[in-house]
Amino acid sequence: MFGRKKETPGQGNGSDEHGLSLSYARTLSWLSLLVVLLTSLGLSFFISNQARQTLMERQEGFALLLAQNLNNQIFQRFAVPTILTYGHIALRQEQQYERLDSVVRSVIEGLPVARLRVYDFSRVVAYSTDAKEIGRKGLAPLNIGPAFQGELLKPEIIARVKVWQVPLLWPLEPGSYRLRVLYPLRGDAYSTGSSPVLGVLELTQDITADYVQVLIFQAAIVVMCLLSSVIMFTLLLIIIHRAERVLKWRMQKNIQLEKELQSTERLVSMGRVVASIAHEIRNPLGIIRSTAELLQRRAASSSDKGTTRLLQAIYDESLRLSQTVNDFLDYARPRQPRQDPVDLELVINQILAFVEGDFARDHIVIEKHFQGPLWVLGDKDLLYRALYNVFVNGRQAMKNEGTLDIRASVREEKAVIAVTDSGPGFDPDIIDKLFEPFFTTKEAGTGLGLPIVRSIIESHGGSVRLMNPESGGARVEVILPLAPQQPIVENGSGTGAGNADAESPAAQGGRDEHSAA
Ligand code: ADP
């Protein structure tokens, strides 16, 4: 019934879950790193390719323009004058060749043109910047055909070196990368496309330097992307490492908390069992006590001293036991305090009226210092019980002589009851343990007096402090919040000991002492 085992979150497979989420986070991070790396590599290739394309387009545009210009110059400055002078064009004639050569060279002067050839319809080299090639066949590129039909072909790059070989063959020889344009030569100045094709112009430019620049740019982008990826990778690794450490620490903390929770739950259910047993014991114990008292009275008249002593022992022990049971139940099942206006001075006077006989018998003088009525909101019976425990502890500490000084005052808008006795004071070695339940140094103590005091005062929003003042003895300070409004005391309601209620809560079953009973 009481041993109900509660399933707590994260219990049992908690560490497995943490471990799983940890490895999940790690896998996810590695995957995202891979994605970042691939994306940045792809992006870098795309950007660098775009740059290369742009540069090549510019080169191609320039080459086509040059080819067109050559077509014009050749037509105007060579073809027309030659036909007018010689009636026909025959480049094998040295004069004609030299005229064409001077026109061509004047156009390409200073430009990065590696070679220039003109092919006739039989694909024989009609003109070349290299005079040795003139009249040779078989030098024309294979794809030259459409150019003879007047088609403008896209310039092409001729690479002697593969891109991956560039770093190995560095620095590259001139002519490693060339741009070739095949341009149909037409018989008009503006190559409008309507005039007939006379031959094909092959223009070869050395673009090695520009091409290498593009390759360097391309490599720089890839290297930069790789570098930034590596930096990001390292940073993420550090973050993952740290997160792992934090998670591990939290996991350990959670496991520890789970263990603590389980043991607290066990204690709580054990406390419930003990409280219900104590509750069951209380009634039969009351019957034993009252029966022993009755038998004691009867035995007193029969002058059987032995029986009277035995009955007295039964009575004393059952009284002590019921005090322990009551204390335990008060502590284990604290009741919710009421919120009535309570005059603390009146409560103290009521307690003193009840205990003054015991104090006088032990030669203990009580000194009261009240600044006036102190009103708090709370439960009069519970407050009576708490202060009564403090007074009784003071009396027990002083043994058979001393002074109990009770001061009630207002400090920082709080009611402060300071109870100082002239006993030995709190033992500094154990003062930290005195609020622990069942901690006692007394032979017949229950160790529940101070825990009950604290539980009652804290349930009123107050606090309790234990200290040893320099003047000697022990001091207990009970601090309670004042009632928001201090009620007006009607004439005659008085706060003196004379008005103390003889039917005090302690007399109604509070934490009695043997002598108070
Ligand atoms: P109990 O009185 O049953 O021992 P308490 O919780 O009231 O239980 O007190 C716990 C312990 O605190 C006592 O056993 C005692 O050692 C110490 N104590 C309490 N009041 C005083 C005091 N006025 N002077 C010295 N020690 C005290």
Side-chain angles (χ1 to χ4, degrees), residues 193-206:
S194 53
S195 50
V197 176
L198 302 176
V200 173
L201 185 89
E202 183 196 2
L203 181 71
T204 310
Q205 267 181 273
D206 185 4

Side-chain angles (χ1 to χ4, degrees), residues 323 327 389-398 404 419 421 423-427 430 433-453 466 468 473-476 511:
Q323 181 200 320
D327 277 359
N389 282 359
V390 175
F391 295 171
V392 168
N393 271 347
R395 188 177 74 74
Q396 288 174 345
M398 288 185 282
L404 189 75
V419 181
D421 62 53
F426 294 109
D427 182 348
I430 56 167
K433 296 186 180 158
L434 299 185
F435 284 121
E436 284 176 16
F438 306 110
F439 184 87
T440 181
T441 57
K442 296 171 196 167
E443 219 171 285
T446 60
L448 287 169
L450 286 177
I452 289 173
V453 173
L466 305 181
N468 289 326
R475 179 178 295 164
V476 180
R511 190 179 182 240

Side-chain angles (χ1 to χ4, degrees), residues 383-459:
L383 291 173
Y384 183 104
R385 185 144 174 61
L387 291 170
Y388 174 83
N389 282 359
V390 175
F391 295 171
V392 168
N393 271 347
R395 188 177 74 74
Q396 288 174 345
M398 288 185 282
K399 306 270 166 31
N400 283 319
E401 200 178 12
T403 308
L404 189 75
D405 184 279
I406 305 166
R407 282 167 199 268
S409 57
V410 174
R411 194 199 299 158
E412 290 168 2
E413 296 186 15
K414 294 217 164 111
V416 181
I417 315 288
V419 181
T420 313
D421 62 53
S422 56
F426 294 109
D427 182 348
D429 292 339
I430 56 167
I431 196 163
D432 292 338
K433 296 186 180 158
L434 299 185
F435 284 121
E436 284 176 16
F438 306 110
F439 184 87
T440 181
T441 57
K442 296 171 196 167
E443 219 171 285
T446 60
L448 287 169
L450 286 177
I452 289 173
V453 173
R454 183 154 83 168
S455 141
I456 292 174
I457 299 303
E458 283 183 353
S459 71

